[in-house]
Amino acid sequence: MTEERGLFIYGIVPSDVEPTPDASGVGDPPGEVTVVRRGRVAALVSEVPLEGALGRPADLTAYQELLDGTATVAPVLPVRFGTVVTGPDAVEDLLDAHGDRFAAALDDLEGQVQYVVHGRYEESALIQSVLEDNPGAADLADQVRGQPEETTREQRIRLGEIISQAVELRREAENRALLDTLGPLAVSSLARPPSNELDAVNAAFLVDADQENDFVDALEEFAEQRRDLVQMRLLGPLAPYDFVSAHQFAE
């Protein structure tokens, strides 16, 4: 019995975009990435089994690598991961129905990429800083230090609550400071939810190519001011996942 095949859609791009010869898609083995064109826009796709299971870490990596690589050379509207249609006709119908809106959005994204700034507190430095700022917390820390957990349970719980509240307040302040510092150098910016209880900052920025160097320089200065307390990472350039997707223009 012949296996039914469909097309996995990665993103919408201008019609003149060509995948590189080494571009690989989702699946095992990875599918060959091709383009379905319609007027001014096109879709990056690859064949997958209609009954196959997608969602392995390798599939998500392939999806992101293709879109991020594309974003460095052309605007791209990400399509939600896991979107599979029955064949080229379904892709063409999608492009015919929403092509004008896709094209306008791609024009707006020309020369723009996403960066994500993620910072995580050094736990020992953070706790020390909280204790220095809060005499009550410092007193609780003295009470539990070297004592059995079973006899200091109440104090430990209270100390943990104080530290957790302090981290939340500091995180809010740090994200505001980050957005105030880098926001003027970006087309758009937004705070993202923390991915860990020790997160200090987590924010996404849509940046014009002509502002990238200034953006990175400003981030380096921001990070240097906090280097003893926060480990900062810059992720990008990326496709604009946090700011736009093809689905919002196809609803």
Side-chain angles (χ1 to χ4, degrees), residues 95-107:
L95 298 179
D96 284 340
H98 308 289
D100 289 343
R101 299 181 72 189
F102 289 159
L106 290 168
D107 287 344

PDB file of all heavy atoms in Angstrom, residues 95-107:
ATOM      1  N   LEU A  95      -2.087  30.465  -0.626  1.00  0.00           N
ATOM      2  CA  LEU A  95      -1.404  31.640  -1.153  1.00  0.00           C
ATOM      3  C   LEU A  95      -2.351  32.506  -1.984  1.00  0.00           C
ATOM      4  O   LEU A  95      -2.263  33.746  -1.939  1.00  0.00           O
ATOM      5  CB  LEU A  95      -0.200  31.212  -1.995  1.00  0.00           C
ATOM      6  CG  LEU A  95       0.896  30.428  -1.248  1.00  0.00           C
ATOM      7  CD1 LEU A  95       2.014  30.040  -2.218  1.00  0.00           C
ATOM      8  CD2 LEU A  95       1.451  31.234  -0.084  1.00  0.00           C
ATOM      9  N   ASP A  96      -3.247  31.885  -2.716  1.00  0.00           N
ATOM     10  CA  ASP A  96      -4.225  32.656  -3.494  1.00  0.00           C
ATOM     11  C   ASP A  96      -5.161  33.440  -2.587  1.00  0.00           C
ATOM     12  O   ASP A  96      -5.485  34.606  -2.849  1.00  0.00           O
ATOM     13  CB  ASP A  96      -5.054  31.722  -4.385  1.00  0.00           C
ATOM     14  CG  ASP A  96      -4.288  31.235  -5.607  1.00  0.00           C
ATOM     15  OD1 ASP A  96      -3.285  31.891  -5.965  1.00  0.00           O
ATOM     16  OD2 ASP A  96      -4.693  30.212  -6.181  1.00  0.00           O
ATOM     17  N   ALA A  97      -5.583  32.802  -1.506  1.00  0.00           N
ATOM     18  CA  ALA A  97      -6.577  33.426  -0.632  1.00  0.00           C
ATOM     19  C   ALA A  97      -6.002  34.586   0.176  1.00  0.00           C
ATOM     20  O   ALA A  97      -6.707  35.545   0.484  1.00  0.00           O
ATOM     21  CB  ALA A  97      -7.169  32.369   0.307  1.00  0.00           C
ATOM     22  N   HIS A  98      -4.726  34.503   0.534  1.00  0.00           N
ATOM     23  CA  HIS A  98      -4.159  35.489   1.461  1.00  0.00           C
ATOM     24  C   HIS A  98      -2.887  36.143   0.922  1.00  0.00           C
ATOM     25  O   HIS A  98      -2.163  36.787   1.670  1.00  0.00           O
ATOM     26  CB  HIS A  98      -3.850  34.812   2.802  1.00  0.00           C
ATOM     27  CG  HIS A  98      -5.013  34.059   3.376  1.00  0.00           C
ATOM     28  ND1 HIS A  98      -6.116  34.696   3.897  1.00  0.00           N
ATOM     29  CD2 HIS A  98      -5.248  32.720   3.471  1.00  0.00           C
ATOM     30  CE1 HIS A  98      -6.980  33.780   4.325  1.00  0.00           C
ATOM     31  NE2 HIS A  98      -6.487  32.585   4.070  1.00  0.00           N
ATOM     32  N   GLY A  99      -2.621  35.972  -0.365  1.00  0.00           N
ATOM     33  CA  GLY A  99      -1.368  36.440  -0.935  1.00  0.00           C
ATOM     34  C   GLY A  99      -1.114  37.922  -0.756  1.00  0.00           C
ATOM     35  O   GLY A  99       0.016  38.337  -0.460  1.00  0.00           O
ATOM     36  N   ASP A 100      -2.154  38.754  -0.921  1.00  0.00           N
ATOM     37  CA  ASP A 100      -1.948  40.195  -0.788  1.00  0.00           C
ATOM     38  C   ASP A 100      -1.547  40.562   0.641  1.00  0.00           C
ATOM     39  O   ASP A 100      -0.657  41.405   0.847  1.00  0.00           O
ATOM     40  CB  ASP A 100      -3.218  40.948  -1.186  1.00  0.00           C
ATOM     41  CG  ASP A 100      -3.497  40.900  -2.685  1.00  0.00           C
ATOM     42  OD1 ASP A 100      -2.560  40.575  -3.445  1.00  0.00           O
ATOM     43  OD2 ASP A 100      -4.644  41.172  -3.078  1.00  0.00           O
ATOM     44  N   ARG A 101      -2.183  39.950   1.615  1.00  0.00           N
ATOM     45  CA  ARG A 101      -1.853  40.256   3.014  1.00  0.00           C
ATOM     46  C   ARG A 101      -0.469  39.713   3.358  1.00  0.00           C
ATOM     47  O   ARG A 101       0.298  40.362   4.074  1.00  0.00           O
ATOM     48  CB  ARG A 101      -2.910  39.672   3.944  1.00  0.00           C
ATOM     49  CG  ARG A 101      -4.303  40.226   3.711  1.00  0.00           C
ATOM     50  CD  ARG A 101      -5.308  39.629   4.669  1.00  0.00           C
ATOM     51  NE  ARG A 101      -5.113  40.159   6.019  1.00  0.00           N
ATOM     52  CZ  ARG A 101      -5.737  39.681   7.092  1.00  0.00           C
ATOM     53  NH1 ARG A 101      -6.546  38.635   6.963  1.00  0.00           N
ATOM     54  NH2 ARG A 101      -5.524  40.208   8.276  1.00  0.00           N
ATOM     55  N   PHE A 102      -0.137  38.521   2.857  1.00  0.00           N
ATOM     56  CA  PHE A 102       1.205  37.981   3.070  1.00  0.00           C
ATOM     57  C   PHE A 102       2.249  38.918   2.468  1.00  0.00           C
ATOM     58  O   PHE A 102       3.268  39.215   3.100  1.00  0.00           O
ATOM     59  CB  PHE A 102       1.336  36.599   2.429  1.00  0.00           C
ATOM     60  CG  PHE A 102       0.582  35.492   3.112  1.00  0.00           C
ATOM     61  CD1 PHE A 102       0.262  34.325   2.426  1.00  0.00           C
ATOM     62  CD2 PHE A 102       0.192  35.607   4.437  1.00  0.00           C
ATOM     63  CE1 PHE A 102      -0.420  33.298   3.043  1.00  0.00           C
ATOM     64  CE2 PHE A 102      -0.497  34.574   5.070  1.00  0.00           C
ATOM     65  CZ  PHE A 102      -0.810  33.418   4.370  1.00  0.00           C
ATOM     66  N   ALA A 103       2.013  39.372   1.244  1.00  0.00           N
ATOM     67  CA  ALA A 103       2.992  40.218   0.556  1.00  0.00           C
ATOM     68  C   ALA A 103       3.191  41.532   1.309  1.00  0.00           C
ATOM     69  O   ALA A 103       4.328  42.015   1.443  1.00  0.00           O
ATOM     70  CB  ALA A 103       2.534  40.485  -0.875  1.00  0.00           C
ATOM     71  N   ALA A 104       2.107  42.120   1.794  1.00  0.00           N
ATOM     72  CA  ALA A 104       2.223  43.382   2.531  1.00  0.00           C
ATOM     73  C   ALA A 104       3.019  43.184   3.823  1.00  0.00           C
ATOM     74  O   ALA A 104       3.861  44.025   4.184  1.00  0.00           O
ATOM     75  CB  ALA A 104       0.834  43.936   2.839  1.00  0.00           C
ATOM     76  N   ALA A 105       2.756  42.080   4.510  1.00  0.00           N
ATOM     77  CA  ALA A 105       3.486  41.803   5.750  1.00  0.00           C
ATOM     78  C   ALA A 105       4.963  41.563   5.477  1.00  0.00           C
ATOM     79  O   ALA A 105       5.832  42.021   6.232  1.00  0.00           O
ATOM     80  CB  ALA A 105       2.876  40.595   6.456  1.00  0.00           C
ATOM     81  N   LEU A 106       5.267  40.865   4.401  1.00  0.00           N
ATOM     82  CA  LEU A 106       6.663  40.623   4.040  1.00  0.00           C
ATOM     83  C   LEU A 106       7.376  41.932   3.683  1.00  0.00           C
ATOM     84  O   LEU A 106       8.539  42.132   4.020  1.00  0.00           O
ATOM     85  CB  LEU A 106       6.739  39.630   2.880  1.00  0.00           C
ATOM     86  CG  LEU A 106       6.354  38.187   3.219  1.00  0.00           C
ATOM     87  CD1 LEU A 106       6.193  37.364   1.941  1.00  0.00           C
ATOM     88  CD2 LEU A 106       7.378  37.545   4.139  1.00  0.00           C
ATOM     89  N   ASP A 107       6.662  42.825   3.009  1.00  0.00           N
ATOM     90  CA  ASP A 107       7.252  44.129   2.700  1.00  0.00           C
ATOM     91  C   ASP A 107       7.611  44.867   3.988  1.00  0.00           C
ATOM     92  O   ASP A 107       8.681  45.495   4.090  1.00  0.00           O
ATOM     93  CB  ASP A 107       6.275  44.979   1.878  1.00  0.00           C
ATOM     94  CG  ASP A 107       6.150  44.505   0.431  1.00  0.00           C
ATOM     95  OD1 ASP A 107       7.023  43.733  -0.024  1.00  0.00           O
ATOM     96  OD2 ASP A 107       5.165  44.887  -0.230  1.00  0.00           O
TER      97      ASP A 107
END
